[in-house]
């Protein structure tokens, strides 16, 4: 079931061919002037350039070939030679009916599904999350859902940061604070099953230890040694480390779940550890490793690079695995386990160089082929000062605090707007939470991911304009309308198109497929957000112009309810792809 643009492109392409021109020139786009036409084709201008002919004359030849096309109400030539196409009401109604009957609301599937890993979120043990993690989680979740919806077999992996220097820092800090834990230092165990530290302990110890490592070289060296020993397999350190990981992970899963971000795999950097020795050997055998001041590196610069690209550090001079080492070994791990055709890394744009290094190293080593690894970068969420957002106290944000802050604001807004008054306390809470998540996610996904934006909870939370709460409000309004219809015994039926607002709504519903296809190709969820907003607007116009339950003929009521139901379905589907759930009532 193709969308109208694709079908029209075929029709117009055939007309081009019959007129003796290249069929590809018949590509149709939605109209730049929706007041004049539904779609347009600019192919006559390109043909004229190639043939050194008059574009209007060529357009006339094509238009003559389109005469008698049953779906076209009007075909007109405008300006220098644009072909403007307007569909019949019947053709639009038929397409709307197709979408209404389609569980995918008019969206297609990819012809050849791929196995895809989306590496996103990337939280770390003990280190609090920052805005980069928040954006990675929101954008990655949406890309994962989009790819899955298009038909790919998709695995979201948190790629938990559980193997770096911060682990050595924590081991040293805990050992110092709790000398009675000496048993973790020595021997083979067994070690206590109960964690000797809580999440609060980790959150307190880590920043202090990180600061000390900067000013006290002895402390830093101790932590480096602990990191190397942990990686080398020292039993007590491994036991302690497992507690750190578990304590952090269970808290993070709670917070991610609250944000409706769900990973299929909670693998960590440490999961790549068993492959590292073998990998280093392979890199050695392939002659890729270079000794550099006691460390082993891979040179990844290319002659045509515009700027200096530093080498990838594989083994530090202490013998430790680095961030890039675990990333490289993780590619190998994924190759052996899921063997994906595509790995997408949804990570802060500031790590762009890191991924160029890792990807090139992987290509050199033969762990992946060019094009299978892709960094999906994004800009930062900034504070009003233009710097990456921090809390009022100046600390990095904690996901939990952000969600509470947004939910508090949502409660205020709902109450101000006189919404949710008839809900039970529990339902009100659930609604406030959904509004909060919608506000945060839509603010993030509303603009192209590469652009940075300013954290402005007041604006995100507004019920007017291009915001998550506005879209939820529209969806809830539609739900209540459908409830009323059901109470009145009215049901959706065959879709008819007569009013201009119905035409516009049908065309907007049809544009879903184009928006998703482009969002998929560009890894750009903002195009889905854009579509959701347009759909809500087209619906608002339809709602204002076309009486629904009070329409006089029952067929009209049924047709309009068909529009209402289909709009709701597609709107919820689009929001779902953004990771946004709609409440039943507000
Ligand atoms: N843990 C990393 C950080 O906090 C992000 C991980 C991103 N994913 C990856 N495969 N490197 O910066």
């Amino acid at each position: 079931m193709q969308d109208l643009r694709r079908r029209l492109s075929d029709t117009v392409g055939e007309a081009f061919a019959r007129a003796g021109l290249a069929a590809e020139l018949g590509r149709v786009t939605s109209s730049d002037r929706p007041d004049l036409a539904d779609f347009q084709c600019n192919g006559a201008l390109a043909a004229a350039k190639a043939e050194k002919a008059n574009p209007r004359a060529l357009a006339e030849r094509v238009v003559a070939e389109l005469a008698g096309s049953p779906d076209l109400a009007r075909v007109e030539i405008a300006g220098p030679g644009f072909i403007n196409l307007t569909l019949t009401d019947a053709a639009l109604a038929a397409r709307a009916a197709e979408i209404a009957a389609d569980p995918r609301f008019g969206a297609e599937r990819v012809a050849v599904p791929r196995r895809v890993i989306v590496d996103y979120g990337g939280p770390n043990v003990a280190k609090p999350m920052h805005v980069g993690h928040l954006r990675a989680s929101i954008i990655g979740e949406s890309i994962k859902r989009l790819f899955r919806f298009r038909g790919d077999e998709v695995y979201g992996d948190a790629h938990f940061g559980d193997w770096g220097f911060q682990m050595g820092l924590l081991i040293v800090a805990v050992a110092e604070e709790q000398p009675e834990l000496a048993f973790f230092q020595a021997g083979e165990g067994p070690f206590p099953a109960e964690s000797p530290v809580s999440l609060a302990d980790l959150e307190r110890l880590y920043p202090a230890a990180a600061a000390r490592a900067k000013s006290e070289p002895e402390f830093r060296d101790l932590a480096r040694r602990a990191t190397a020993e942990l990686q080398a397999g020292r039993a007590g350190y491994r036991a302690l480390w497992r507690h750190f990981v578990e304590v952090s992970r269970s808290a993070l899963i709670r917070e991610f779940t609250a944000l409706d971000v769900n990973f299929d795999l909670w693998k960590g950097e440490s999961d790549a550890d068993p492959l590292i020795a073998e990998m280093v050997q392979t890199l050695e055998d392939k002659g890729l490793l270079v000794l550099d001041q006691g460390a082993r590196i891979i040179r990844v610069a290319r002659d045509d690079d515009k700027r200096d690209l530093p080498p990838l550090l594989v083994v530090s001079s202490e013998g430790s695995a680095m961030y890039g080492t675990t990333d490289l070994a993780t590619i190998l791990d994924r190759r052996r386990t899921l063997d994906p055709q595509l790995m997408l890394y949804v990570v802060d744009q500031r790590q762009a160089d890191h991924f160029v290094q890792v990807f090139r190293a992987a290509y050199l080593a033969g762990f992946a082929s060019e094009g299978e690894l892709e960094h999906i970068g994004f800009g930062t969420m900034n504070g009003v000062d233009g710097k990456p957002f921090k809390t009022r106290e100046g600390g990095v944000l904690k996901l939990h605090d952000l969600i509470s802050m947004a939910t508090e604001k949502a409660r205020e807004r709902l109450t101000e707007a006189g919404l949710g008054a008839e809900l039970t306390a529990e339902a009100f809470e659930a609604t406030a939470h959904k509004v909060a998540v919608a506000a945060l996610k839509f603010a993030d996904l509303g603009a192209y991911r590469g652009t940075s934006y300013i954290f402005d909870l007041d604006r995100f939370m507004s019920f007017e304009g291009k915001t998550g709460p506005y879209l939820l409000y529209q969806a809830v309004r539609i739900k209540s309308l459908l409830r009323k219809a059901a109470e009145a015994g009215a049901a959706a039926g065959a879709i008819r198109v007569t009013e201009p607002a119905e035409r516009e709504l049908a065309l907007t519903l049809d544009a879903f497929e184009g928006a998703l296809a482009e969002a998929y190709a560009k890894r750009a969820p903002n195009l889905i957000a854009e579509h959701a907003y347009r759909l809500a607007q087209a619906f608002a116009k339809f709602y204002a112009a076309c009486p629904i339950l009070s329409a006089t003929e029952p067929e009209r009521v049924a047709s309009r309810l068909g529009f209402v139901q289909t709009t709701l379905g597609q709107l919820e589907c689009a929001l779902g792809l953004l990771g946004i759930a709609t409440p039943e009532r507000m």
Side-chain angles (χ1 to χ4, degrees), residues 119-124 127 130 133 158-161 269 323 327 334 345-347 351 354-355:
D119 178 316
Y120 71 107
N124 299 309
K127 289 200 239 178
H130 56 68
H133 298 110
H159 199 71
F160 198 22
E269 294 167 353
Y323 183 42
D327 258 328
R334 289 174 178 164
Y345 293 78
V346 184
V347 185
Q351 294 194 26
H354 166 77
F355 287 106

Side-chain angles (χ1 to χ4, degrees), residues 126-128 169-170 200-213:
K127 289 200 239 178
L169 279 173
L170 280 174
D201 291 331
L202 293 180
E203 284 174 352
R204 173 174 52 79
L205 289 171
Y206 174 74
R212 258 181 85 188

Side-chain angles (χ1 to χ4, degrees), residues 256-273:
F256 277 118
T257 306
L259 201 58
D260 218 344
V261 167
N262 309 293
F263 300 99
D264 305 292
L265 304 169
W266 256 98
K267 287 199 139 193
E269 294 167 353
S270 66
D271 286 292
D273 175 63

